[in-house]
Amino acid sequence: MLPFKIIYRDDYYLPIGEHVFPGSKYRQVHQSLLARGIAEPGDFLAPRPAEDRDVLLVHGADWVYKLQTGNLSAREELQMEIPYSDELVEAFWLAAGGSILAGRHALEDGVGINLGGGFHHAFPDHGEGFCMINDIAIAIRRLQKDQKIERALVIDCDVHQGNGTAVIFGRKRALALASEALPSVSAPMLRGTEPGSIRKLAADGAVDVFTISLHQENNYPTWKPPSSIDVNLPDGIGDDQYLGWLDNAVSSALRQFEPQLISYVAGADPYRDDQLGGLNLSIEGLKRRDEFVFRVAKIRGIPVTVTLAGGYAQDVNDTIEIHSNTVVAAKEVFER
Ligand SMILES: [Zn+2]
């Protein structure tokens, strides 16, 4: 038995047909974990869909209503880049329920893994980039509402910037800055950043959720709304450089912010053979990345909840292996 729970249901499957996003990857990761003997059936817990009131903690009533009634405009569906269906809505609600459950178990066991979710491109009022609703934010807001946590740190290691998450959790910061009538201290940093730069926002004492996004600068999304820390990586960097940037960002965050939960977005797409990524990480390097996050969490005594996020490798088996390795890394760190 693993010393933590893996949250999963077969219905995580995304019914989107032939698509660069492998909608069946969740089932394949589940099967792979069992086949490789990494996990056994008793390690898995089945989530229920998120409740609408949980989704509404993050998303506007208009957006939720449109999704539930199928009243998206053509533009809204195009922007989401996945074909709308009732079944797809159910899958996203289920993924969000899974992220909530993983968060609860993380607080009990030190780590909890959702074998799904990570939909960081969903904004309060629209979906983007294969993301309909933002399970990462929904889970954090629900745990806060239940008074299980006050402060969370998002460590987003998908190759694409976590724009939806940045906007969702940046609102409080923006309001605080506005109410203090400060000059826009961050404005000069928001303009063109040098490759390989780290951008930190001032006045983050105002936030209850601190966000780190470590991503390829020269990639979607074009407009990158500010996270608390954005690490804009140059094209093609490899394992060691990437891990150095990650260490820098996480250390900086933990010097100024004391989270009660880390929400780790374990994107598989910084991989060198990813079709939508332009970094050069190896499968082993991605596992070292996961281990680093888990070790930091364990040493600091901060529970860590995990979502999977992007993975579009030429060979889908590589994506499955990278995602499975996230569970292996957690097992190796937390079994000791
Ligand atoms: Zn991605």
Side-chain angles (χ1 to χ4, degrees):
M1 286 287 280
L2 292 169
F4 55 85
K5 292 297 176 199
I6 304 172
I7 313 303
Y8 171 76
R9 243 170 70 180
D10 283 345
D11 308 308
Y12 277 1
Y13 170 74
L14 297 183
I16 52 178
E18 281 291 312
H19 198 286
V20 68
F21 190 112
S24 61
K25 73 173 183 178
Y26 309 110
R27 293 180 181 178
Q28 291 169 276
V29 174
H30 174 244
Q31 285 165 2
S32 161
L33 291 173
L34 291 170
R36 289 171 63 188
I38 298 161
E40 50 190 83
D43 293 317
F44 294 89
L45 276 183
R48 287 187 308 197
E51 295 174 46
D52 290 349
R53 60 186 180 144
D54 298 332
V55 179
L56 289 166
L57 294 171
V58 167
H59 295 280
D62 279 4
W63 179 235
V64 172
Y65 180 78
K66 281 180 189 175
L67 291 172
Q68 292 189 327
T69 55
N71 273 309
L72 276 68
S73 68
R75 184 178 168 276
E76 284 168 329
E77 191 172 349
L78 268 177
Q79 195 172 18
M80 215 159 58
E81 298 185 88
I82 40 176
Y84 176 90
S85 66
D86 292 347
E87 294 75 24
L88 191 63
V89 173
E90 286 170 22
F92 273 94
W93 253 248
L94 185 62
S99 294
I100 293 170
L101 190 59
R104 286 197 185 122
H105 281 275
L107 295 173
E108 288 177 17
D109 299 328
V111 58
I113 299 180
N114 186 12
L115 273 201
F119 298 115
H120 60 164
H121 300 311
F123 285 70
D125 62 353
H126 72 275
E128 262 187 46
F130 320 149
C131 301
M132 182 183 279
I133 56 172
N134 194 313
D135 60 289
I136 304 158
I138 291 167
I140 289 171
R141 289 301 189 219
R142 175 62 196 262
L143 293 172
Q144 288 176 324
K145 184 163 171 263
D146 291 344
Q147 299 186 320
K148 293 186 181 293
I149 59 165
E150 291 176 356
R151 295 177 308 281
L153 167 65
V154 177
I155 303 178
D156 186 337
C157 287
D158 191 275
V159 81
H160 306 102
Q161 197 239 8
N163 53 354
T165 313
V167 163
I168 289 164
F169 293 125
R171 282 184 166 179
K172 197 165 173 179
R173 175 200 305 128
L175 287 172
L177 283 173
S179 68
E180 288 168 25
L182 288 172
S184 183
V185 279
S186 55
M189 292 183 276
L190 301 184
R191 287 197 288 271
T193 44
E194 295 303 312
S197 63
I198 190 161
R199 183 182 68 187
K200 300 171 188 172
L201 280 182
D204 256 314
V207 302
D208 57 352
V209 181
F210 193 105
T211 52
I212 296 173
S213 179
L214 192 82
H215 50 263
Q216 183 189 6
E217 178 162 37
N218 180 28
N219 204 326
Y220 167 87
T222 310
W223 176 59
K224 297 176 175 62
S227 313
S228 306
I229 295 178
D230 282 297
V231 183
N232 295 297
L233 298 170
D235 298 353
I237 68 160
D239 298 342
D240 291 340
Q241 278 178 293
Y242 183 96
L243 290 168
W245 283 110
L246 176 61
D247 189 353
N248 181 329
V250 172
S251 302
S252 174
L254 292 175
R255 273 197 299 273
Q256 53 187 305
F257 189 76
E258 286 183 32
Q260 294 151 319
L261 179 71
I262 291 172
S263 177
Y264 173 44
V265 184
D269 49 13
Y271 177 48
R272 59 167 60 119
D273 287 335
D274 196 274
Q275 299 174 82
L276 302 184
L279 300 184
N280 197 26
L281 272 71
S282 67
I283 290 179
E284 188 53 34
L286 287 159
K287 181 162 176 273
R288 282 167 58 202
R289 173 197 71 174
D290 297 338
E291 287 166 357
F292 170 81
V293 174
F294 294 139
R295 276 205 312 274
V296 168
K298 189 181 178 190
I299 289 167
R300 301 253 186 172
I302 307 166
V304 55
T305 183
V306 184
T307 50
L308 290 190
Y312 318 94
Q314 302 278 359
D315 180 350
V316 72
N317 292 310
D318 289 348
T319 297
I320 305 309
E321 185 176 355
I322 293 163
H323 283 324
S324 302
N325 280 346
T326 301
V327 178
V328 176
K331 180 175 182 172
E332 289 173 357
V333 170
F334 286 94
E335 252 179 4
R336 284 184 207 135

